[in-house]
């Protein structure tokens, strides 16, 4: 099985690139984030021509997640039990389904904005609720929770910790929340970089950041032991970040042994 996760930063803006990438990379399952379309606006027909079923959860201009699968798409859940709201609104940040015997969850963790912003408290509440919701899924069988976590797990996961010190994405409470997820029995699947020593997955659009490899590793694949033990290869597809009109994130592609 081959699966992938990718923050596409607008599936409509990135559709030609997505379709080309699906055709050349041929993942069996794809977790997408920041689709930025309502459910009925997702280009399910276009990806169906490549053999993919779609489960989408969106809210128009913001957020949005989806799963694409060519090996089954069963037991779809939009959101998760106990998921907090922000400003009284349920945001489209998680979707899961069983594909090929594994429950895949695509997550788009809240950004947090700044440590003194209410969105930061929401981020921590969201991660804590996710941890609680995952307990029964992990007991039931193989699980992959992949997506844009908006947290760099260690100082080595940003190009210069001095630049980020005191900002969101690197604070101790955020990293502790990820550690609590892993403590459930999830493994952070390491992906190899195609350039340099750091498997960064996000580079700001500002001129030169990508080419200088000044990035962050905030897109993560967390897998239960029965999946992590089958990993044959995992890489950050940096090529998908190149060219005209890319997402500011690169996909992670994971191959599992049969």
């Amino acid at each position: 099985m081959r699966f992938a996760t990718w923050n596409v930063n607008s599936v409509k803006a990135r559709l030609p690139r997505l379709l080309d990438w699906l055709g050349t990379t041929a993942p069996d399952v794809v977790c997408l984030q920041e689709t930025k379309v309502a459910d009925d606006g997702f280009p399910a027909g276009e990806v169906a021509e490549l053999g993919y079923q779609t489960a989408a959860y969106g809210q128009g201009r913001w957020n949005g997640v989806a799963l694409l699968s060519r090996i089954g798409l069963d037991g779809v859940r939009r959101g998760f039990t106990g998921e907090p709201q922000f400003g009284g609104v349920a945001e489209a940040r998680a979707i899961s389904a069983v594909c090929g015997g594994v429950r895949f969850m695509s997550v788009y963790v809240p950004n947090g904005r700044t440590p003194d912003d209410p969105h930061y408290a929401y981020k921590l509440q969201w991660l804590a609720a996710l941890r609680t919701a995952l307990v029964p899924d992990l007991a039931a069988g193989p699980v992959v929770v992949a997506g844009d976590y908006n947290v760099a797990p260690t100082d080595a996961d940003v190009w210069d910790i001095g630049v980020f010190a005191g900002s969101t994405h690197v604070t101790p409470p955020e990293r502790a929340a990820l550690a609590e997820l892993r403590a459930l029995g999830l493994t952070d699947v390491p992906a190899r970089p195609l350039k340099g020593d750091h498997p960064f997955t996000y580079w700001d659009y500002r001129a030169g950041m990508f080419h200088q490899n000044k990035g962050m590793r905030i897109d993560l694949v967390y897998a239960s032991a029965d999946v992590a033990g089958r990993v044959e290869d995992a890489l950050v597809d940096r090529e998908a970040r190149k060219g005209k009109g890319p997402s500011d994130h690169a996909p992670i592609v994971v191959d599992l042994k049969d």
Side-chain angles (χ1 to χ4, degrees), residues 21 31-32 76-77 88 93 107 111 130 144 147 156 176 182 211:
W21 180 83
C31 301
L32 296 178
V76 175
R77 301 179 196 154
R93 293 189 174 275
V107 296
N111 179 283
L130 175 63
V144 170
R182 295 192 299 272
H211 298 291

Side-chain angles (χ1 to χ4, degrees), residues 107-112 120 123-124 126-127 147-155 157-158 164 167-179 181-182 188 201-202 216-222 249:
V107 296
Y108 181 42
V109 176
N111 179 283
Y120 179 81
K123 180 178 192 174
L124 297 180
W126 197 95
L127 285 166
D148 180 356
Y149 279 76
N150 269 314
V151 183
T154 72
D155 288 357
D157 294 316
V158 296
F164 294 93
S167 302
T168 55
H169 295 62
V170 300
T171 65
E174 293 168 283
R175 289 177 170 176
L178 289 193
L181 285 177
R182 295 192 299 272
D188 184 350
T201 62
Y202 165 84
M216 307 174 72
R217 186 177 82 99
I218 56 176
D219 302 87
L220 308 171
V221 174
Y222 279 8
H249 294 251

Side-chain angles (χ1 to χ4, degrees), residues 9-237:
N9 190 14
S10 176
V11 70
K12 286 189 174 180
R14 240 58 69 186
L15 185 57
R17 296 181 64 109
L18 173 63
L19 295 176
D20 180 67
W21 180 83
L22 289 172
T24 57
T25 307
D28 297 300
V29 180
V30 185
C31 301
L32 296 178
Q33 303 87 43
E34 208 171 354
T35 55
K36 295 183 178 178
V37 291
D39 291 355
D40 59 1
F42 193 92
E46 287 89 335
V47 299
E49 292 180 7
L50 296 174
Y52 291 93
Q53 295 176 269
T54 297
Y57 180 32
Q59 59 186 115
R61 295 171 57 203
W62 314 108
N63 309 317
V65 285
L67 287 168
L68 310 180
S69 175
R70 58 182 190 178
I71 55 172
L73 195 62
D74 303 312
V76 175
R77 301 179 196 154
R78 291 168 174 82
F80 53 83
T81 302
E83 184 178 0
Q85 298 182 348
F86 185 70
V89 176
E91 298 188 321
R93 293 189 174 275
I95 190 168
S96 71
V98 176
C99 311
V102 177
R103 178 160 287 276
F104 285 88
M105 178 181 280
S106 177
V107 296
Y108 181 42
V109 176
N111 179 283
R113 299 174 185 166
T114 64
D116 58 354
D117 192 288
H119 208 256
Y120 179 81
Y122 165 59
K123 180 178 192 174
L124 297 180
Q125 292 164 3
W126 197 95
L127 285 166
L130 175 63
R131 184 189 187 281
T132 299
L134 286 173
V135 171
D137 283 340
L138 283 163
V143 172
V144 170
V145 187
D148 180 356
Y149 279 76
N150 269 314
V151 183
T154 72
D155 288 357
D157 294 316
V158 296
W159 65 274
D160 183 350
I161 189 58
V163 173
F164 294 93
S167 302
T168 55
H169 295 62
V170 300
T171 65
E174 293 168 283
R175 289 177 170 176
L178 289 193
E180 289 171 2
L181 285 177
R182 295 192 299 272
L184 291 174
L186 291 169
T187 296
D188 184 350
V189 174
R192 59 184 175 89
L194 293 184
K195 177 183 178 180
D197 298 327
H198 301 291
F200 297 144
T201 62
Y202 165 84
W203 300 261
D204 193 282
Y205 280 129
R206 286 178 294 171
M209 296 295 280
F210 176 65
H211 298 291
Q212 296 176 69
N213 206 27
K214 293 181 176 180
M216 307 174 72
R217 186 177 82 99
I218 56 176
D219 302 87
L220 308 171
V221 174
Y222 279 8
S224 55
D226 41 12
V227 176
R230 295 170 54 199
V231 173
E232 190 170 47
D233 191 20
L235 63 86
V236 179
D237 187 359

